[in-house]
Amino acid sequence: SAVISQKPSRDICQRGTSLTIQCQVDSQVTMMFWYRQQPGQSLTLIATANQGSEATYESGFVIDKFPISRPNLTFSTLTVSNMSPEDSSIYLCSAQENTQYFGPGTRLTVL
Amino acid sequence: LAKTTQPISMDSYEGQEVNITCSHNNIATNDYITWYQQFPSQGPRFIIQGYKTKVTNEVASLFIPADRKSSTLSLPRVSLSDTAVYYCLVGGGAAGNKLTFGGGTRVLVKP
């Protein structure tokens, strides 16, 4: 199974700033995804990170707010831009091999 | 995307078998059924995946009837450390590799 790491594991940020979350997979994978999980809630898919092309966003999520990069088959970043307290959440990346494996998540608190 | 319905919560006791049933009436022909386990402050952990009939691994069994409109995750002889949220997902068919998380089942194992 793929081993996925995320940086940072947690952060506390001021409103109006941006944070970039890194996701590293220990093997090349075809597909990577970004999810958000608000406190006590289930996971919501933000976007599919496409290697070599623009990410595919789900309804309610836009590139200006959540720009995503996928420079190669093992790495992706998610930026949370112009943050507000409503962006406080856990952000998780996942990677698809035969099944989907998840990173440990990044806990973001926006003050 | 196929929607799943599962109980919100279940209580059990150490050493008992826990069975969680998930309904997925509009599962597509190519969809697989996958179960994840999530502990607080961690990413979801893959448990088991199946397409039809029965699948068993070292931690769980998955029972899928012929019509595939439901599935049952069976956890044998649970321990306190099995207290977690369990998610049933269907995907891999028309939706490609995108996974839609439902509300999950919160399992509490008591001593």
Side-chain angles (χ1 to χ4, degrees):
Chain A
S1 64
V3 177
I4 303 170
S5 59
Q6 288 185 230
K7 289 183 182 179
S9 59
R10 60 178 60 227
D11 206 343
I12 300 173
C13 302
Q14 297 296 321
R15 71 169 65 215
T17 63
S18 298
L19 175 73
T20 295
I21 303 168
Q22 299 179 6
C23 178
Q24 179 74 55
V25 189
D26 69 341
S27 60
Q28 292 187 344
V29 292
T30 305
M31 304 188 75
M32 295 180 71
F33 303 89
W34 287 97
Y35 292 81
R36 180 173 72 183
Q37 186 173 29
Q38 296 180 308
Q41 302 297 313
S42 184
L43 283 77
T44 300
L45 179 64
I46 297 172
T48 302
N50 301 308
Q51 196 269 327
S53 65
E54 196 171 277
T56 304
Y57 290 84
E58 297 300 305
S59 176
F61 298 96
V62 295
I63 187 171
D64 290 346
K65 177 66 175 177
F66 298 101
I68 288 171
S69 78
R70 176 94 189 271
N72 56 52
L73 294 177
T74 64
F75 186 78
S76 178
T77 67
L78 168 75
T79 299
V80 186
S81 303
N82 188 25
M83 288 184 286
S84 66
E86 291 71 35
D87 294 320
S88 296
S89 192
I90 298 173
Y91 293 86
L92 299 111
C93 71
S94 70
Q96 178 84 25
E97 284 189 331
N98 292 324
T99 189
Q100 216 171 108
Y101 297 95
F102 287 82
T106 296
R107 181 180 294 273
L108 171 62
T109 301
V110 184
L111 303 177
Chain B
L1 295 175
K3 180 182 177 182
T4 61
T5 303
Q6 50 185 124
I8 294 174
S9 64
M10 298 179 69
D11 288 357
S12 184
Y13 291 90
E14 282 190 291
Q16 288 189 337
E17 179 181 83
V18 171
N19 296 305
I20 309 171
T21 296
C22 178
S23 297
H24 28 78
N25 291 318
N26 59 341
I27 187 169
T29 303
N30 296 336
D31 282 341
Y32 282 77
I33 300 156
T34 310
W35 286 80
Y36 288 86
Q37 174 192 56
Q38 187 178 31
F39 299 113
S41 301
Q42 295 185 26
R45 183 176 78 102
F46 171 81
I47 301 176
I48 198 166
Q49 184 179 69
Y51 184 79
K52 62 180 179 180
T53 63
K54 177 184 175 182
V55 180
T56 298
N57 62 22
E58 63 275 8
V59 298
S61 295
L62 178 60
F63 300 91
I64 305 168
D67 66 4
R68 302 197 333 118
K69 293 183 183 299
S70 67
S71 59
T72 299
L73 175 72
S74 180
L75 305 171
R77 298 180 299 280
V78 293
S79 62
L80 297 177
S81 63
D82 292 316
T83 293
V85 178
Y86 293 82
Y87 292 99
C88 162
L89 297 95
V90 296
N97 295 304
K98 292 201 296 187
L99 297 178
T100 300
F101 280 78
T105 298
R106 191 172 300 273
V107 173
L108 174 62
V109 180
K110 303 175 182 178

